[in-house]
């Protein structure tokens, strides 16, 4: 039911363009973008969680995906990362269709994610959490490496990554005993440990204090700039979204209703309708 | 749960709380080798301790303890380290029990009955067979989910049990098992004590078991501290995350089943020689069940957990069953003895009660977890007192 709306809005965009009204940009060709999604759908029984989404995120872009609760953002991530198989559509990484690659192959292809809830190896230390991912990145999805010991593999790199997300003081702390914000940063460090070209972050600042949120936003920008990553970000904090993203894609009820630079999206009527005014003040 | 991470890393995934980035995660020499040292110590003192008159008073139990410790440790590679609960682990033991016994008893082609070479080829065959079998079994069932993994291992173990019970081609001896002719020439039996004839010398069976135990446990320890073993822990701790980070969790699980099966079969070979034959009781569902209980009792989170569990189990079984009048060590001076026969006949009840306490209070810590926490607790008390 959101499809007609979408088209209607696209139509109104055309007429409004001259009046500096918000615009929906044409989709970058998914098959030539760093990360592309083409008419991707995912249904759960009767429920259509993701409904024919097409996106193209060019290399080096920091793209935020926003939308009300239940808009299908996390489901879209899960389909892109292979956690869930999409019902229809294709996922492209640097022009190659990877839709059928199993989830555990994708980090080795150059894409990684952090999770919305803190998914960590809880009983392991911060160092070991990162080191395990470094080891997997260096040795591949499976390796019968039986003759070395775990501290021979990937430790220096793990320490470097911990430094990059300011977790050096916590290296020997078990992940479950970390403060919340540090757990989120550990999740980012682990995603970085896969040496990704494309990094997907699912609400990296959720549950953080305003101070920590600002720091994390800065960290994400820094990571993108230093490593030349393409970053796709699901985020609820509008300050973060508006300040760091190059472009924003708005999802509502499983469909893309707007894509564009922050200012354009902020002014978009469809976006404001989707948020039912509740977010309007924030926007 | 504290201390969990470092022991499963087994040698100092965390060496201390405050260190610089140059030394981080680098364990000290003691931390690095405390597990082999502990095992060496265990083998050295186990028999003198339990065979003393004060405790169990006979030798054979010590060898059996080492064998069961190895078996439960092999089981725990799968359960404690990979998070897969096998309810049919006796089947892996059975490969080591029956294949060498059948071959030594019957001979085959150029291999004479009772020959030493027959035995060693039988052992090699058993290990290859169990490796292939457990790999294929793993491939078939690890993807099914935890509950189904437990049920399917039980089902396969029962299938093997009934196959052996049927006595195909009169090879397995059915319900009697293989009671005679299963030992090769180099094993000497005199009045129930076994000795190994090697290079003109006679080696006590306990030390032979001790040597195989040490070698097998060292190999197992290397498996769990290797990068491969760390990946198993990742699979157990958070499979979803492991997969998202690029770990092929299915293949790690299959190989964990394989290693666990092979090490179990090594224990099976020892048990066959220890019992001078293959008994079908060692294949049944109770053996599989006891294995789970021993591991949980000892503490599945620790390398030494299964060792503590198997020891406690076998010790309690023997100590409490045989003991009717316990003489205090001071009995030489004054005759102090207490008649406990009425109470200790219920040894399984007491063991069961201990099990319930362990599971209710610290399901993954077990006895070893408690033992480990004692020095920590004392240290905390002492430092508290100093303040």
């Amino acid at each position: 039911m959101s499809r007609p709306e979408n088209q209607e809005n696209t139509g109104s965009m055309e007429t409004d363009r001259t009046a500096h009204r918000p615009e929906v940009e044409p989709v970058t060709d998914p098959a030539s973008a760093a990360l592309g999604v083409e008419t991707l759908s995912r249904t759960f029984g009767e429920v259509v969680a993701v409904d024919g989404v097409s996106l193209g995120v060019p290399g080096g872009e920091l793209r935020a995906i926003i939308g009300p609760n239940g808009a299908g953002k996390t489901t879209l991530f899960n389909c892109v990362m292979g956690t869930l198989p999409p019902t229809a559509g294709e996922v492209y990484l640097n022009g190659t269709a990877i839709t059928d690659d199993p989830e555990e192959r994708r980090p080795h292809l150059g894409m990684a994610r952090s999770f919305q809830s803190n998914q960590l190896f809880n009983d392991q230390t911060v160092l070991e959490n990162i080191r395990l991912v470094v080891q997997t990145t260096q040795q591949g999805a499976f390796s019968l490496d039986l003759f070395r010991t775990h501290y021979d593999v990937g430790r220096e790199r793990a320490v470097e990554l911990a430094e990059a997300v300011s977790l050096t003081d916590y290296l020997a702390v078990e992940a479950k005993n970390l403060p919340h914000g540090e757990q989120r940063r550990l999740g980012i460090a682990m995603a970085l440990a896969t040496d990704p070209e494309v990094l997907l972050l699912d609400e990296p600042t959720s549950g953080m204090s305003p101070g920590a949120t600002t720091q994390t936003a800065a960290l994400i920008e820094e990571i993108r700039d230093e490593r030349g990553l393409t970053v796709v970000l699901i985020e609820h904090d509008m300050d973060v979204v508006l300040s760091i993203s190059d472009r924003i894609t708005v999802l509502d009820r499983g469909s893309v209703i707007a894509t564009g630079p922050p200012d354009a999206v902020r002014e978009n009527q469809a976006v404001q309708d989707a948020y039912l005014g509740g977010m309007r003040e924030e926007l | 749960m504290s201390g969990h991470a470092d022991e499963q890393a087994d040698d100092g995934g965390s060496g201390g709380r405050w260190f610089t980035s140059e030394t981080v995660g680098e364990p000290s020499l003691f931390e690095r080798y405390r597990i082999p040292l502990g095992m060496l110590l265990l083998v050295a003192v186990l028999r003198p301790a339990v065979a003393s008159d004060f405790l169990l008073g006979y030798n054979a139990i010590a060898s059996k303890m080492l064998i069961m410790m190895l078996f439960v440790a092999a089981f725990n590679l799968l359960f404690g380290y990979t998070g897969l609960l096998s309810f049919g682990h006796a089947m892996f033991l059975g490969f080591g029990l029956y294949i060498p016994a059948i071959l030594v008893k019957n001979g085959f082609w150029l291999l004479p009955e009772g020959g030493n070479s027959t035995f060693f080829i039988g052992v090699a065959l058993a290990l290859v067979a169990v490796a292939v079998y457990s790999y294929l079994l793993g491939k078939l069932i690890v993807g099914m989910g935890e509950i189904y993994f437990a049920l399917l291992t039980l089902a396969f173990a029962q299938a093997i049990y009934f196959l052996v019970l049927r006595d195909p081609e009169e090879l397995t001896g059915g319900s009697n098992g293989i009671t005679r002719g299963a030992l090769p020439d180099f094993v000497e039996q005199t009045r129930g004590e076994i000795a190994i004839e090697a290079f003109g010398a006679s080696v006590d069976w306990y030390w032979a078991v001790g040597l195989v135990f040490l070698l097998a446990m060292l190999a197992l320890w290397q498996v769990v501290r290797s990068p491969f073993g760390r990946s198993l822990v990742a699979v157990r701790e958070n499979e979803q995350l492991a997969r998202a980070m690029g770990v092929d969790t299915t293949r790690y699980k299959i190989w964990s089943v394989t290693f666990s099966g092979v090490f179990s079969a090594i224990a099976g070979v020892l048990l066959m020689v220890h019992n001078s034959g293959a008994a079908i009781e060692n294949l049944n569902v109770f053996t599989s069940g006891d294995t789970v209980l021993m591991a949980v009792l000892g503490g599945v989170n620790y390398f030494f957990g299964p060792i503590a569990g198997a020891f406690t189990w076998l010790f309690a079984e023997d100590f409490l069953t045989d003991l009717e009048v316990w003489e205090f060590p001071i009995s030489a001076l004054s005759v102090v003895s207490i008649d406990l026969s009425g109470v200790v006949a219920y040894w399984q009840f007491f063991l069961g009660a201990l099990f319930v306490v362990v599971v209710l209070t610290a399901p993954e810590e077990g006895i070893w977890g408690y033992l480990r926490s004692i020095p920590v607790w004392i240290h905390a008390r002492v430092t508290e007192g100093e303040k």
Side-chain angles (χ1 to χ4, degrees):
Chain A
M1 72 176 276
S2 49
R3 301 305 297 276
E5 267 179 35
N6 191 359
Q7 273 154 19
E8 192 184 310
N9 282 316
T10 314
S12 66
M13 282 321 108
E14 294 300 323
T15 52
D16 289 333
R17 185 166 286 177
T18 47
H20 288 282
R21 296 288 296 170
E23 64 186 282
V24 172
E25 298 182 356
V27 174
T28 312
D29 179 18
S32 65
L35 179 71
V37 167
E38 196 168 64
T39 57
L40 189 108
S41 296
R42 171 70 204 197
T43 54
F44 297 98
E46 296 286 296
V47 181
V48 183
V50 177
D51 188 5
V53 167
S54 295
L55 293 173
V57 184
E61 181 170 310
L62 205 161
R63 171 78 60 99
I65 296 181
I66 62 169
N69 284 328
K73 305 182 295 289
T74 298
T75 307
L76 176 66
F77 260 30
N78 284 338
C79 289
V80 169
M81 289 308 297
T83 313
L84 284 172
T87 318
E90 293 282 348
V91 179
Y92 296 94
L93 184 68
N94 294 323
T96 315
I98 56 161
T99 322
D100 298 326
D101 281 299
E103 182 182 14
E104 64 265 18
R105 280 229 344 119
R106 306 204 181 192
H108 303 286
L109 296 172
M111 60 199 299
R113 78 182 296 185
S114 76
F115 286 88
Q116 184 177 8
S117 57
N118 284 330
Q119 291 269 10
L120 303 166
F121 300 118
N122 278 320
D123 288 330
Q124 307 299 319
T125 60
V126 167
L127 176 69
E128 183 62 9
N129 267 273
I130 306 174
R131 199 203 59 77
L132 271 165
V133 185
V134 173
Q135 174 191 313
T136 306
T137 306
Q138 290 177 354
Q139 303 195 331
F142 177 80
S143 162
L144 262 182
D145 186 349
L146 289 165
F147 298 105
R148 283 187 292 173
T149 58
H150 58 87
Y151 36 78
D152 297 330
V153 179
R155 201 179 68 235
E156 291 81 6
R157 175 98 179 100
V159 172
E160 271 172 42
L161 285 159
E163 239 171 78
V165 297
S166 326
L167 282 176
T168 313
D169 291 342
Y170 295 94
L171 281 171
V173 179
E174 284 168 29
K176 65 177 177 221
N177 295 330
L178 278 181
H180 179 83
E182 276 69 18
Q183 289 188 338
R184 309 248 45 166
R185 291 216 300 277
L186 176 55
I188 296 174
M190 290 165 77
L192 283 179
T194 67
D195 287 333
E197 291 163 37
V198 176
L199 182 62
L200 290 85
L201 303 172
D202 197 346
E203 296 194 29
T205 70
S206 76
M208 282 187 179
S209 65
T213 300
T214 316
Q215 277 177 10
T216 305
L219 173 69
I220 293 168
E221 265 193 308
E222 184 190 314
I223 288 168
R224 191 271 307 259
D225 295 342
E226 274 182 11
R227 296 163 198 256
L229 299 183
T230 309
V231 178
V232 184
L233 179 75
I234 292 178
E235 187 53 68
H236 274 307
D237 189 310
M238 282 303 149
D239 291 336
V240 172
V241 169
L242 295 172
S243 66
I244 68 173
S245 36
D246 298 322
R247 275 193 286 182
I248 299 173
T249 291
V250 189
L251 280 189
D252 184 35
R253 281 170 276 182
S255 300
V256 177
I257 57 170
T259 293
D263 289 341
V265 166
R266 192 191 345 217
E267 300 301 321
N268 187 299
Q269 189 59 44
V271 174
Q272 296 193 359
D273 290 346
Y275 279 92
L276 288 170
M279 299 283 274
R280 194 170 299 175
E281 287 80 42
E282 277 191 61
L283 280 163
Chain B
M1 297 288 281
S2 68
H4 171 188
D6 64 308
E7 179 144 347
Q8 279 225 331
D10 84 67
D11 45 11
S14 60
R17 202 119 289 204
W18 316 111
F19 34 41
T20 61
S21 50
E22 285 81 51
T23 60
V24 70
E26 186 109 58
S28 70
L29 265 183
F30 172 71
E31 278 170 357
R32 206 176 268 223
Y33 295 109
R34 68 192 162 92
I35 284 192
L37 282 174
M39 288 190 296
L40 206 59
L41 195 68
L42 172 77
V43 172
V45 304
L46 182 67
R47 188 167 76 172
V50 299
S52 67
D53 287 341
F54 171 50
L55 293 176
L56 300 179
Y58 70 107
N59 279 335
I61 185 72
S63 318
K64 175 146 192 221
M65 280 176 173
L66 287 186
I67 296 170
M68 292 313 286
M69 286 169 182
L70 173 59
F71 179 46
V72 181
F75 163 82
N76 202 46
L77 177 68
L78 194 56
F79 185 41
Y81 283 86
T82 322
L84 287 172
L85 174 55
S86 155
F87 256 116
H89 231 61
M91 64 183 155
F92 301 121
L93 193 70
F95 277 82
L97 276 170
Y98 274 89
I99 292 179
I102 289 170
L103 216 60
V104 171
K105 187 185 177 195
N106 301 300
F108 181 73
W109 197 35
L110 289 176
L111 302 170
E113 290 169 28
N116 292 341
S117 54
T118 317
F119 174 77
F120 286 111
I121 288 173
V123 172
L125 196 65
L127 297 185
V128 171
V130 78
V132 172
Y133 169 78
S134 43
Y135 182 86
L136 293 176
L137 180 75
K139 207 161 177 126
L140 195 63
I141 69 175
V142 294
M144 303 279 194
E146 280 169 51
I147 302 289
Y148 293 100
F149 183 85
L151 292 178
L152 284 166
T153 46
L154 177 62
F156 274 90
Q158 286 301 88
I160 288 186
Y161 173 78
F162 285 112
L163 179 75
V164 171
L165 191 63
R166 281 283 305 272
D167 197 10
E169 309 286 322
E170 300 188 354
L171 285 173
T172 61
S175 59
N176 296 323
I178 298 171
T179 49
R180 126 199 347 258
L183 291 184
D185 293 332
F186 72 88
V187 181
E188 291 249 308
Q189 261 187 306
T190 43
R191 296 186 305 277
E193 299 268 327
I194 310 172
I196 301 293
E197 294 290 330
F199 309 110
S202 177
V203 180
D204 191 297
W205 172 236
Y206 176 79
W207 299 114
V209 172
L211 181 68
V212 178
F213 171 85
L214 277 179
L215 292 176
M217 291 297 277
L218 281 177
L220 206 49
W221 170 66
Q222 177 58 36
V223 170
V224 302
R225 72 179 192 146
S226 71
F228 169 82
R230 300 308 299 162
S231 299
L232 298 186
V233 172
V235 170
R236 182 209 62 201
E237 282 224 359
N238 193 335
E239 192 178 347
Q240 188 194 355
L241 176 64
R243 215 180 298 125
M245 292 299 148
V247 176
D248 188 341
T249 56
T250 307
R251 282 177 78 190
Y252 278 105
K253 285 177 179 178
I254 294 171
W255 278 94
S256 176
V257 178
T258 309
F259 279 110
S260 181
V262 170
F263 283 102
S264 301
I266 294 173
V269 173
L270 292 175
L271 193 60
M272 190 277 281
V273 178
H274 182 81
N275 292 335
S276 310
I280 194 155
E281 286 74 36
N282 292 317
L283 257 187
N284 68 19
V285 64
F286 295 107
T287 305
S288 298
D290 288 354
T291 313
V292 180
L293 298 182
M294 283 185 233
V296 173
L297 189 66
V300 297
N301 271 349
Y302 301 102
F303 190 81
F304 276 118
I307 292 176
F311 175 82
T312 311
W313 185 277
L314 293 170
F315 186 82
E317 183 176 37
D318 233 77
F319 190 67
L320 296 176
T321 316
D322 293 350
L323 178 122
E324 290 184 347
V325 177
W326 186 36
E327 296 193 355
F328 272 87
I330 48 169
S331 62
L333 305 172
S334 62
V335 182
V336 180
S337 63
I338 304 169
D339 184 1
L340 294 165
S341 54
V343 187
V344 298
Y346 299 101
W347 70 269
Q348 280 170 310
F349 172 80
F350 289 113
L351 212 51
L354 181 61
F355 184 80
V356 169
V357 170
V358 164
V359 170
L360 287 182
T361 55
E364 287 169 341
E365 296 291 286
I367 292 171
W368 192 250
Y370 278 116
L371 288 178
R372 278 173 59 90
S373 62
I374 291 171
V376 176
W377 182 81
I378 291 174
H379 179 75
R381 274 303 161 103
V382 169
T383 47
E384 205 174 273
E386 280 169 0
K387 284 173 196 168

